Amino acid sequence: KNQVEQSPQSLIILEGKNCTLQCNYTVSPFSNLRWYKQDTGRGPVSLTIMTFSENTKSNGRYTATLDADTKQSSLHITASQLSDSASYICVVSDRGSTLGRLYFGRGTQLTVWP
Amino acid sequence: EADIYQTPRYLVIGTGKKITLECSQTMGHDKMYWYQQDPGMELHLIHYSYGVNSTEKGDLSSESTVSRIRTEHFPLTLESARPSHTSQYLCASSGQSPGELFFGEGSRLTVL
């Protein structure tokens, strides 16, 4: 069964600290993996995309990694800011059809305290 | 910033009422989607469309219906709302980049 599991479910850190969010998936055949940020009461916004051949990709203070062998991805946030408080959702796309079906994790709820 | 809009943002209605959630995008995307999201849970696909006059049901069974008469417009309708329909409804569209969705701000529906 294709699944996407995220950990931790929630996380509280102090402003300025770093943190790492995890995503494990069993989706096959794999096409790509995206991390989305969803602010409270808003729609998700794409942060990064990782394809099979990519190991690391950065977007400002966000760095995503992908290990296609172990089917794990992480999102590292450096020097956290209050505005980083949000839910971070891991989404994996398969290559099983032209549809490119998407599998969603439940998200990690990050809270940054001053 | 994505150009996809949902109205209303918040709606509180009584049981049995008919409601329509509006979704419009100005990006010219052929593919559009409706997702249902409950707190702490993953997004569930309830409807999608690949173009005008094309609509399909998603993975999660839903009593709602959709229509796609124009490329930019993808409204969702509930003929008779019930408390079990209380949820956040997210509209999205996608272009050429695989797996990239552009989401609206969401419509939070509460049925009393």
Side-chain angles (χ1 to χ4, degrees):
Chain A
K1 180 181 177 182
N2 288 321
Q3 285 186 311
V4 177
E5 301 286 344
Q6 292 188 243
S7 62
Q9 182 177 344
S10 63
L11 181 63
I12 299 174
I13 61 173
L14 294 177
E15 186 179 14
K17 298 297 185 182
N18 304 336
C19 67
T20 300
L21 315 180
Q22 299 290 342
C23 174
N24 296 338
Y25 62 92
T26 59
V27 176
S28 181
F30 174 84
S31 175
N32 62 72
L33 181 150
R34 286 184 183 268
W35 284 92
Y36 284 81
K37 178 187 180 188
Q38 184 176 22
D39 292 316
T40 300
R42 310 289 290 272
V45 176
S46 179
L47 291 175
T48 66
I49 177 174
M50 305 292 291
T51 58
F52 187 86
S53 60
E54 296 175 307
N55 299 119
T56 304
K57 184 174 286 186
S58 292
N59 177 6
R61 294 180 298 102
Y62 300 105
T63 299
T65 66
L66 175 67
D67 186 333
D69 292 331
T70 62
K71 298 186 177 181
Q72 296 179 326
S73 176
S74 67
L75 181 69
H76 186 74
I77 304 175
T78 304
S80 61
Q81 299 176 358
L82 298 180
S83 59
D84 292 332
S85 293
S87 178
Y88 291 83
I89 302 171
C90 177
V91 183
V92 181
S93 178
D94 73 9
R95 290 191 285 110
S97 69
T98 56
L99 172 60
R101 182 176 170 154
L102 301 179
Y103 298 86
F104 291 81
R106 294 186 175 186
T108 292
Q109 183 64 48
L110 174 65
T111 303
V112 181
W113 283 1
Chain B
E1 192 165 317
D3 296 316
I4 180 165
Y5 309 99
Q6 290 186 239
T7 58
R9 290 290 313 280
Y10 304 94
L11 181 61
V12 180
I13 60 170
T15 296
K17 299 294 185 182
K18 176 181 179 179
I19 65 107
T20 296
L21 304 181
E22 302 287 349
C23 178
S24 295
Q25 51 97 5
T26 59
M27 296 171 282
H29 289 165
D30 288 325
K31 298 176 185 176
M32 295 190 73
Y33 314 83
W34 276 102
Y35 287 90
Q36 187 172 336
Q37 184 183 33
D38 293 311
M41 302 296 290
E42 63 267 44
L43 276 72
H44 289 288
L45 180 66
I46 52 175
H47 297 283
Y48 61 96
S49 168
Y50 284 160
V52 172
N53 295 324
S54 157
T55 62
E56 300 287 345
K57 289 189 177 295
D59 306 319
L60 183 67
S61 175
S62 174
E63 293 165 349
S64 59
T65 60
V66 293
S67 63
R68 190 88 183 274
I69 299 174
R70 305 197 313 267
T71 298
E72 62 271 22
H73 196 212
F74 192 39
L76 181 147
T77 298
L78 271 170
E79 290 293 333
S80 180
R82 295 203 301 271
S84 61
H85 296 138
T86 294
S87 188
Q88 162 109 315
Y89 293 86
L90 288 164
C91 180
S93 70
S94 64
Q96 298 303 316
S97 183
E100 182 174 27
L101 296 173
F102 296 92
F103 285 91
E105 299 284 15
S107 293
R108 179 162 295 283
L109 173 65
T110 301
V111 184
L112 303 177

